[in-house]
Amino acid sequence: MNARIESFPPADLSPYLIGASIFVVLLAGLFIYVAKQKRAQVEAAARAAEADARLSELLKVQSEMQGRIATIADVFGSTQAELTRTLNERLDGMTQRVSTTIRDQTQSTHENLLQLQERLAVIDAAQSNIQTLAKDVVGLQAILSNKQTRGAFGQARMETIIADGLPMGAYSFQPTLSNGARPDCTVHMPNGAPPLIIDAKFPLEAWNVSRDAAGTDAGRAAIQQFRRDMEVHIRDIADKYLIQGETQETAFLFVPSESIFAEIHENFEGLVQRAHRARIVIVSPSLLMLSIQVIQAVLKDQKMRAQAHVIQNEVATLMVDLGRLDERVRKLQGHFSMAQKDVDMIATSADKLTKRGARIEALEFEGSESAKAVRDAELAAAKAAEQRAGVLKLRVVDDD
C-alpha cells in the first residue's frame, strides 16, 4: 500500500480542509446550538418550575387573601350592622330627645303664653283700676273743692276708723248735747266717765289756695287766712263741745290727711300750741286709729274687771272639781294596786302548777303526804285569790 501511495502524485487538500473546517465549525455550532437549546430548555423548565411555584404561591396567597377578604367582609358586615344598629339607636334616641325637647319647649311656650295672657289680663285689670282710680281722684278733687262734700269726706273717713276700732254701742255719730250742739262723734268712756268729742270739720279752703299759690303774695295771704280759720275753729270746738261734767275736758280735731297734719306741726307751731292750751288735740288718721285702739283696750280691761268675780267663782268651782278628780284617781290607783297583788299571786300559782306538771311528766313522784300538803297549799292559795277578787269586785261596786 505504501508503494501505491507513493505512486500517486501529491494532490491539493485545501478544499477538503476548508470543507472539514466548515463541517467542524458547523458541527461545533450545532453542538453549541444544541447545548444552548438544552440550556434554554433547562432554563425554561426552571423558569416554568419557578413560575409554577410562584403561581402556586400566588394562588395560595390569593386563597389566603380571599379568606382574609371574606373575613374582613364578615367583620365589615358585622361592624356595619353594629354601626347601623348603633346609628339607628342613636338616631332613635336623638329623635326621642328632640321630640321630648320640642314637646317640653312647646309646653313651656304654651305655659309662658298662658302666663303672659294672665299677666296681660292683670295688666288690663290694673289699667282699668288705674283708670277707675283716676276717675276717683278726679271725683275726690271735686269733692275736696266743695266745702260741704269735703266735710262729708272727712266725716266718712272718721266714721270708718271709729266703726272699725270700737264695738257697737261704744260710740255715737252726731248726737245732740245739752247746749244743742251736734258734734261729729262721741266716744263713750268706761266707768261712767263723760264721752270724748271728735270733730271732723277741718277748714281747707285757704290751705288749698296757699298750696296752689306758694311763694306768692296770694299764697302768703292764704296762709294767714288758714291760720285765722284754724284759730276760729279751735275756739268754736272749745266753746261748743267742752261742757263741764257732760263731756271730757279734751276734744279731738280730726285732720283727714297725714301730709296736712305733718305740715301743720312743722310750719304752724303756734296753732298747735293754741290748740293745746284750749285742750284740743289735732289728730291724723293714724293717730286717731291709735287712740281708738287705746280706748278699746281700756274698754276690754273694764269689762274684764266687771267680770272678775265671775272668773273667780269659775276658778273655785274648777279647783273643787280638780280635788274630786284627784281623790277618785287615788282610789282607782289603790284598786289597781290590789288587783296587781292578786295577779302576782295568780302568777305564782300558775308557776307552781307548771312545775308540778313538769314533775308529773318526768315521773318524779314524792310521798303521798308531801303531795297532799302541796295540793292543800295550792287550794288555799286559789281560795285566797278568789276571796280577794270578790272583795275587789265588792269595793269597786261600793265606790261606784
Side-chain angles (χ1 to χ4, degrees), residues 161-172 187-188 292 295-297 299-300 303:
I161 295 173
I162 297 297
D164 290 340
L166 294 177
M168 293 295 295
Y171 57 89
S172 298
V187 178
H188 305 301
I292 293 303
I295 294 173
Q296 184 181 13
L299 292 174
K300 287 183 179 179
K303 290 182 179 179

Side-chain angles (χ1 to χ4, degrees), residues 161-233:
I161 295 173
I162 297 297
D164 290 340
L166 294 177
M168 293 295 295
Y171 57 89
S172 298
F173 294 129
Q174 295 183 352
T176 302
L177 301 178
S178 61
N179 59 0
R182 298 186 63 184
D184 294 326
C185 179
T186 57
V187 178
H188 305 301
M189 304 302 291
N191 300 322
L196 175 67
I197 303 300
I198 301 175
D199 183 85
K201 302 179 184 68
F202 182 76
L204 280 178
E205 292 85 356
W207 176 268
N208 293 328
V209 174
S210 65
R211 295 298 93 188
D212 296 335
T216 62
D217 295 337
R220 287 187 287 272
I223 290 175
Q224 296 297 326
Q225 183 63 36
F226 172 73
R227 184 177 288 107
R228 287 193 295 271
D229 292 342
M230 281 293 294
E231 290 175 356
V232 172
H233 190 59

Side-chain angles (χ1 to χ4, degrees), residues 212-274:
D212 296 335
T216 62
D217 295 337
R220 287 187 287 272
I223 290 175
Q224 296 297 326
Q225 183 63 36
F226 172 73
R227 184 177 288 107
R228 287 193 295 271
D229 292 342
M230 281 293 294
E231 290 175 356
V232 172
H233 190 59
I234 291 171
R235 186 170 57 252
D236 290 340
I237 293 175
D239 293 339
K240 293 180 180 180
Y241 301 146
L242 298 181
I243 302 173
Q244 184 68 29
E246 185 176 353
T247 62
Q248 289 287 329
E249 296 180 355
T250 302
F252 285 174
L253 173 58
F254 178 68
V255 180
S257 175
E258 297 286 347
S259 61
I260 297 176
F261 175 80
E263 189 74 17
I264 291 172
H265 280 75
E266 183 176 357
N267 298 323
F268 297 93
E269 183 66 23
L271 290 177
V272 177
Q273 294 297 329
R274 184 181 293 274

Side-chain angles (χ1 to χ4, degrees), residues 10 34 100 115 136 152 212 259-260 273 285 292 306 318 336:
V34 171
T100 304
Q115 293 178 0
D136 293 339
D212 296 335
S259 61
I260 297 176
Q273 294 297 329
I292 293 303
L318 180 64
F336 282 156

